[in-house]
Amino acid sequence: MKEISLSTKLKEYETADELPKEYRLLLDQARDAIQESYAPYSRFHVGAAILLENGAIALGANQENAAYPMCLCAERVALSNAIMQHPGVGAMAMAITVHNPAKMINIPAAPCGSCRQAICEQEGRQENPIALILQGEEGPVYVIESGKDILPLGFHKGYL
Ligand code: THU
């Protein structure tokens, strides 16, 4: 038996003002995308913005449904938009942010497990990492180099 420890790394910026300009603008777009969030059930609003290799931006916001399991996360809405609007163009970075009217979220908003899986699938498809820029409504920002960094031991096509 041997013990294996898994670790990850990320960059923390104290505020969005310290971010490289293109990431700061992407985060602004993710915040704007929250306007299209439809979250009457959870009242938890999520926005995502993807920067593509051709410079285009694809947006997403969570879309809920009275049949709760049908809810679509912002990240996967943005990924679907990117793929359909810009076929074959790789994604370079995705910014994610949230708004919860019930309380101020001042820690970075990390994607759920299913979205991590979807981000990793796209990384495998384009053979390039997607940087993640995560912020709550305010406060510090995490920049993560690849979806893989936050999905240790993820399932991937290599198993099939
Ligand atoms: N949600 C996202 O949009 N992305 C995530 O990564 C986590 C959760 C949405 C789904 C649902 O509409 C609401 O947030 C509460 O779970």
Side-chain angles (χ1 to χ4, degrees), residues 59-139:
L59 301 179
N62 55 328
Q63 305 298 320
E64 297 190 346
N65 193 287
Y68 290 177
M70 285 181 62
C71 292
L72 302 173
C73 288
E75 296 90 330
R76 280 178 281 163
V77 171
L79 276 172
S80 303
N81 271 341
I83 290 162
M84 294 309 295
Q85 288 171 8
H86 304 275
V89 181
M92 295 168 65
M94 182 191 296
I96 303 162
T97 187
V98 298
H99 170 62
N100 181 353
K103 65 174 180 183
M104 176 57 72
I105 307 292
N106 56 12
I107 55 169
C112 74
S114 296
C115 288
R116 294 177 198 206
Q117 185 72 28
I119 292 164
C120 288
E121 184 71 25
Q122 180 59 26
E123 288 184 340
R125 208 169 152 178
Q126 65 184 38
E127 295 177 359
N128 267 315
I130 302 173
L132 302 173
I133 299 104
L134 314 178
Q135 192 186 33
E137 188 154 355
E138 58 177 35

